[in-house]
Amino acid sequence: MTCRRFRGACRAVALAGLLTAVAVPGAADITTTWGSWAQLVGEGSLGFVDSRLESLRLWLELQGRWNEDWQHFYQGVARAALGYSLSDRATVWLGYNFVPTQLEGKPYFAQQDLFPGFRYIMPTGFGVFMFRTMVDINFIRGDDVRYRPRQLIRYLRPFAFDERLSLVAWDEFFVRVNSTEWGGKAGFDQNRAFLGFGWSFSPELRAELGYMNQYVEDRDLLNETDNNLIMGSLFVGW
Amino acid sequence: MFDGRAKAWRQGTLRTGWSRMFVLLPALASGCVSDGTLLDENSAVALRTVRTQARQDLSCPAATVSIVSEKEVPGAPWGFLYSDYRVRAEGCGRSAFYDVECRDETLCDVKRVQP
């Protein structure tokens, strides 16, 4: 067989084919856009209120999102969640999102979500992994509720030449469990992939900046949007 | 904050196949490393860092150090875990207590505290 003689080339062709198959599931239209997301995330123990609340955690988050080549502020996110630390590394969460949205040329709507979640932080000798599972319960319009689980895998590795600087990479994918009128057909919803750098000002304060690719399926699972985003984050712990 | 840049630091309902993955991934991850591992790994550098400082503070080259308490502490969200130790140093008739916070074996912050 030719492939036996040119094993490396065959593997490359097979891999390219596989990647193409994943990236382009059908003869779909892909719209490419540019924009930015900014977020401020705060989290800490409620032990400062009462020492008996040491295992309870509060997570507060604000986001602003721009699209149309940075010409249009289209979405905000306000998130609040209460967590319980099962251990120093594992936390269960119950939270709420408010997501006001104004897409260009479309009517304003505000989505509200409830979510249970679980997070696990796993330090290793070559960096820190974080796993976060959430099940978004989306209230978009009326009582047509969409269930959308999401899974985040995140990697953080400090550089040897300056311990305050770190490499940050993560991926989060979303799946629609059920079909709804406003939330679209059940199936793959979107994937977010990030690559960037973090800077630790202190153990309690870290900034991150990088590129995020958001690949979003439309409601009928026919066309996709490929959002290229510059994402900046500020993380505050207490 | 990082005092004098990194100086101080350097001293130291779901039925689908998808849903199974959502449940299994964190569960598998949580079974990989016990909470004690990070504390064990960082304790040596914490003690070494305190020993160096305590020998100066106590003016006692023979000062010895021991861990009084230890716990893991999360830092900024979505970030690192830190090992937090309370360490007692004693020697030459004197003693002192220190709080040591280590991110890993290369990065520890030491503060002398009241007992």
Side-chain angles (χ1 to χ4, degrees):
Chain A
M1 291 288 288
T2 309
C3 263
R4 284 188 182 164
R5 295 176 59 191
F6 303 100
R7 193 170 290 169
C10 282
R11 280 183 184 157
V13 169
L15 182 60
L18 180 63
L19 289 171
T20 304
V22 170
V24 188
D29 287 336
I30 301 176
T31 306
T32 300
T33 71
W34 288 86
S36 287
W37 287 13
Q39 67 175 1
L40 174 63
V41 182
E43 188 197 311
S45 165
L46 289 177
F48 70 92
V49 178
D50 188 309
S51 59
R52 289 171 295 184
L53 302 177
E54 189 67 37
S55 294
L56 287 181
R57 300 187 69 78
L58 184 64
W59 166 14
L60 299 171
E61 184 173 327
L62 288 173
Q63 287 190 28
R65 300 173 177 178
W66 293 259
N67 65 0
E68 309 290 344
D69 297 338
W70 299 279
Q71 302 299 305
H72 180 62
F73 181 86
Y74 76 101
Q75 195 169 61
V77 177
R79 175 175 289 148
L82 196 61
Y84 180 77
S85 296
L86 301 171
S87 73
D88 296 322
R89 303 181 179 193
T91 308
V92 289
W93 296 95
L94 185 62
Y96 167 81
N97 300 328
F98 176 66
V99 188
T101 304
Q102 172 73 75
L103 296 170
E104 189 91 328
K106 293 188 177 177
Y108 165 84
F109 68 96
Q111 176 180 317
Q112 298 185 74
D113 310 325
L114 289 175
F115 63 87
F118 175 77
R119 183 185 66 194
Y120 188 79
I121 302 170
M122 186 174 74
T124 71
F126 48 93
V128 178
F129 289 91
M130 188 185 97
F131 304 88
R132 189 184 69 185
T133 309
M134 290 163 58
V135 181
D136 283 349
I137 305 169
N138 306 138
F139 298 87
I140 303 171
R141 293 273 168 90
D143 57 2
D144 197 12
V145 179
R146 181 178 70 179
Y147 297 90
R148 189 177 65 163
R150 51 198 282 187
Q151 178 65 50
L152 172 77
I153 301 172
R154 187 179 149 89
Y155 176 65
L156 187 63
R157 181 186 171 87
F159 287 104
F161 63 87
D162 192 322
E163 294 284 353
R164 291 166 299 172
L165 185 66
S166 49
L167 174 73
V168 185
W170 55 262
D171 189 87
E172 185 174 27
F173 62 92
F174 299 60
V175 178
R176 303 173 202 156
V177 170
N178 60 323
S179 298
T180 59
E181 182 181 352
W182 297 98
K185 289 181 178 175
F188 172 76
D189 181 78
Q190 63 177 273
N191 188 77
R192 300 173 182 174
F194 176 89
L195 184 64
F197 298 97
W199 182 265
S200 293
F201 295 96
S202 74
E204 294 81 22
L205 183 63
R206 192 181 70 258
E208 292 179 3
L209 185 66
Y211 166 80
M212 187 178 91
N213 180 268
Q214 184 195 29
Y215 193 78
V216 189
E217 194 73 55
D218 74 353
R219 47 175 290 160
D220 296 318
L221 304 178
L222 292 174
N223 303 306
E224 290 84 38
T225 303
D226 190 28
N227 291 322
N228 298 290
L229 302 161
I230 304 298
M231 183 168 187
S233 307
L234 192 62
F235 298 95
V236 183
W238 68 80
Chain B
M1 298 294 288
F2 287 96
D3 297 324
R5 296 173 66 87
K7 182 184 171 190
W9 281 90
R10 291 215 165 82
Q11 287 175 345
T13 19
L14 300 176
R15 295 177 291 273
T16 64
W18 286 101
S19 62
R20 288 194 195 102
M21 192 158 70
F22 281 107
V23 173
L24 282 175
L25 207 55
L28 286 170
S30 61
C32 284
V33 183
S34 71
D35 280 14
T37 305
L38 187 68
L39 289 166
D40 294 344
E41 285 175 2
N42 291 337
S43 62
V45 69
L47 288 170
R48 192 166 59 240
T49 307
V50 172
R51 191 181 297 120
T52 302
Q53 186 163 336
R55 285 175 177 173
Q56 292 176 358
D57 294 348
L58 302 177
S59 302
C60 182
T64 58
V65 293
S66 58
I67 293 173
V68 178
S69 63
E70 60 183 15
K71 61 179 177 180
E72 286 190 350
V73 180
W78 301 27
F80 300 101
L81 273 178
Y82 294 84
S83 303
D84 196 81
Y85 306 91
R86 172 65 61 94
V87 178
R88 175 187 165 94
E90 56 188 340
C92 304
R94 291 180 291 275
S95 67
F97 286 85
Y98 297 86
D99 274 349
V100 192
E101 196 171 63
C102 297
R103 188 181 73 188
D104 51 43
E105 293 177 349
T106 64
L107 203 62
C108 286
D109 185 25
V110 183
K111 290 176 191 154
R112 188 171 178 178
V113 294
Q114 294 301 314

